[in-house]
Amino acid sequence: MKRYAGRVTTIELLPVIDAAACCAPLTRETIPAEQASSLAHSLKALADPTRLRLISIVAASEGQEACVCDLTEPVGLSQPTVSHHLKILVDAGYLTRSKRGTWSYYRLVPGSLDAVAGLLVTA
Amino acid sequence: MKRYAGRVTTIELLPVIDAAACCAPLTRETIPAEQASSLAHSLKALADPTRLRLISIVAASEGQEACVCDLTEPVGLSQPTVSHHLKILVDAGYLTRSKRGTWSYYRLVPGSLDAVAGLLVTA
DNA sequence: CCAGTTCATTGAAGTTTGTCAATGAAGAGA
DNA sequence: TCTCTTCATTGACAAACTTCAATGAACTGG
């Protein structure tokens, strides 16, 4: 029998900030399996070069927000692919989407990156 | 033509701490593609529930080290699979391996987790 | 109402990843 | 020397991921 992480139980996947609300840093004591899955999910959303660049571009943009059309050219990928990555980041709690007219504007969720970082740090 | 992250150029993949040595945090300015790949690589090594647990168990162990045989039972996976995950963590610079007799002992690289965390943090 | 723009979703194809069984290498102890 | 233990590597397979082209939904401006 093969086992795949996160397939056995149906765990609730929280946005980063909620996931960080409860827990001790990784190295203090052995992390429970469920928390490990949650943190892994948060990290996986971040563990892609394109998504890191998207976050970076959004955060560094005028007014701290950007629409899809601003993002396809810098990352050099098709619009559907960019939308796909953005969805992953929104679902994980790093970005928010607000639709105004025809455009979708994406913003960094304040504190979301610090929340994951805080779970990794040793201190 | 399909493009896959990290396949186009042959970039040198540094251990976490070296990768963190140079760079500004993610949100200050747009991260260059090469740095994004490097950081994504570091995060990917961490973005798995089993590997997070392995790090956690090793760090919380007696003497801050553990051998493979101590690790298979807690994570509930086969020995080859655990060795595989450990290799990924060593290659990424989070763990070191030291062989003593028949046993391989794994230790957390001090500062490695803080290094990645520092690249994510907003401040 | 029609044409054009922006963007999300769907479906498909190739790549990568996580896992195990089987095997092999290397040291420990009889 | 022979056997046992520990661990890494190999090969195979299924699931998940990344990407694109095609499509459709929704708003904008004539």
Side-chain angles (χ1 to χ4, degrees), chain B residues 3 7 19-20 25 34 51 64 69 72 84 87 110 112 122-123:
Chain B
R3 252 171 305 178
R7 292 287 319 279
E34 194 175 318
R51 291 198 287 271
Q64 281 78 57
C69 56
T72 54
H84 167 70
K87 178 174 168 50
S112 57
T122 311

Side-chain angles (χ1 to χ4, degrees), chain A residues 2 4 7 44 47-48 50-51 76-81 84-85 88 101-102:
Chain A
K2 292 179 186 290
Y4 286 90
R7 294 288 316 281
K44 200 169 292 186
D48 177 274
T50 299
R51 291 197 287 270
L77 294 173
S78 72
Q79 173 267 313
T81 300
H84 167 69
H85 284 303
I88 289 174
T102 317

Side-chain angles (χ1 to χ4, degrees), chain A residues 61-103:
Chain A
S61 287
E62 202 72 20
Q64 280 79 56
E65 68 177 7
C67 62
V68 180
C69 56
D70 292 332
L71 296 169
T72 54
E73 188 272 333
V75 301
L77 294 173
S78 72
Q79 173 267 313
T81 300
V82 171
S83 282
H84 167 69
H85 284 303
L86 290 169
K87 178 175 167 48
I88 289 174
L89 290 171
V90 169
D91 289 348
Y94 295 105
L95 298 180
T96 56
R97 176 172 65 194
S98 66
K99 200 151 194 174
R100 293 203 298 276
T102 317
W103 291 267

Side-chain angles (χ1 to χ4, degrees), chain A residues 32-48:
Chain A
E34 194 174 319
Q35 283 178 32
S37 288
S38 176
L39 178 53
H41 177 81
S42 295
L43 288 169
K44 200 169 292 186
L46 237 38
D48 177 274

Side-chain angles (χ1 to χ4, degrees), chain B residues 2-3 67-69 79-80 83 87 97 102-104 106:
Chain B
K2 292 182 186 288
R3 252 171 305 178
C67 62
V68 180
C69 56
Q79 173 266 314
S83 283
K87 178 174 168 50
R97 176 172 65 194
T102 315
W103 290 268
S104 282
Y106 289 85

